[in-house]
Amino acid sequence: MALRREAHVLVVSGSDSSGGAGIARDIETIASIGVRTCLAVTALTVQTHDAVMEISHSSPSLVADQMRAALQANKVAAIKIGMLSTAEIVVAVAGVLRENPRIPAVLDPVLASTSGRALLEASAIPMMKQDLMPLCRIVTPNLIELALLAGSELAVDEVGALQQGQQLLAAGVQALLIKGGHASGPRSTDVLVCPNQEPVRLDNRRLARTMRGTGCALASAIAAYLAIGGSIEKAVRQAKLLVFEKIWKHPI
């Protein structure tokens, strides 16, 4: 079958019934780049654009089995990981990544919804840091997620954010894209940090709009561009341009 030969991104994440984030946003973004998707659903949520009302977690074995089936069925060239919900699911996903070390994985460490509802158990954060993050080609935290992962207070400036990022790199993370959307000022700057390299700053003007699913879209776009081929920096730059244009035209 031709489908088996086409490059796919395996999306491992939760649903969003509003369509603004989660798997719906992932598929939309990856398809816009011309890459196919396959899925492992970690959770079903009941939510609007304003609130998350209910979450039903998938079993860890079901998540792992979905991943293995997708990998068997398709030519998976990258893996995008979003909402994982529980510590057990984090461990299960890490186990499948260890079985497939040549496939680059992009982790968007989804810890809470835009409305503030927790989307990952607090007990899962140490396991994410120790078991999952070192297996991923790049991790894409916002400033709030970065502080929680580093076990520190929210960084007040780029110097503080880079210090937190260096802590995670020292713990084995391969690359970080520190997203500046939660900072202040007229410009929003993301910083790509890799071991033994100077930070790469990617700057855009800040859009005064209501936005959801931007983290999902950015990580998904990076995964899609990695699936096509190229360096991590090139994939990040292409993804940033795509998502900025998408938000400008179609705010949520």
Side-chain angles (χ1 to χ4, degrees):
M1 293 176 61
L3 184 62
R4 292 177 183 268
R5 296 193 296 271
E6 294 183 42
H8 284 63
V9 173
L10 169 54
V11 174
V12 183
S13 191
S15 72
D16 176 353
S17 47
S18 75
I23 285 177
R25 184 66 102 173
D26 297 330
I27 294 172
E28 174 189 0
T29 302
I30 294 166
S32 73
I33 300 169
V35 180
R36 302 190 69 97
T37 55
C38 46
L39 306 174
V41 182
T42 60
L44 300 176
T45 73
V46 178
Q47 62 179 299
T48 65
H49 294 304
D50 301 310
V52 179
M53 283 80 78
E54 186 175 349
I55 300 174
S56 177
H57 309 302
S58 300
S59 72
S61 61
L62 179 61
V63 174
D65 288 346
Q66 289 179 83
M67 293 179 69
R68 292 187 180 105
L71 288 159
Q72 180 180 347
N74 304 298
K75 180 185 175 182
V76 174
I79 300 172
K80 185 269 177 175
I81 304 167
M83 175 185 177
L84 294 179
S85 295
T86 70
E88 292 78 11
I89 292 176
V90 170
V91 172
V93 171
V96 178
L97 293 192
R98 289 190 192 95
E99 297 167 5
N100 299 274
R102 295 186 179 181
I103 302 176
V106 179
L107 172 63
D108 179 19
V110 178
L111 304 184
S113 67
T114 302
S115 61
R117 174 74 177 264
L119 299 179
L120 181 70
E121 296 173 344
S123 62
I125 293 177
M127 293 180 181
M128 176 175 281
K129 290 172 60 177
Q130 298 166 18
D131 296 341
L132 182 59
M133 288 171 56
L135 301 175
C136 297
R137 182 64 187 86
I138 186 170
V139 183
T140 63
N142 61 37
L143 292 175
I144 297 170
E145 293 160 346
L146 177 67
L148 288 170
L149 291 168
S152 305
E153 297 294 324
L154 184 67
V156 297
D157 54 25
E158 185 179 294
V159 172
L162 286 174
Q163 289 175 344
Q164 293 175 350
Q166 289 298 332
Q167 291 179 35
L168 297 180
L169 291 181
V173 174
Q174 299 179 43
L176 282 172
L177 180 65
I178 302 172
K179 297 179 294 191
H182 286 80
S184 58
R187 309 292 295 182
S188 177
T189 303
D190 295 352
V191 185
L192 176 62
V193 186
C194 302
N196 304 315
Q197 296 181 27
E198 287 297 315
V200 177
R201 291 166 178 82
L202 301 102
D203 185 71
N204 290 105
R205 59 192 175 88
R206 190 177 300 278
L207 298 178
R209 299 185 174 206
T210 300
M211 292 169 277
R212 292 188 63 236
T214 53
C216 302
L218 182 59
S220 294
I222 294 170
Y225 285 120
L226 287 176
I228 294 172
S231 69
I232 191 68
E233 182 177 339
K234 181 179 179 181
V236 168
R237 288 186 180 279
Q238 290 174 307
K240 280 281 294 179
L241 289 172
L242 176 90
V243 172
F244 183 82
E245 180 72 11
K246 186 180 184 65
I247 293 169
W248 175 253
K249 290 183 176 179
H250 304 289
I252 289 183

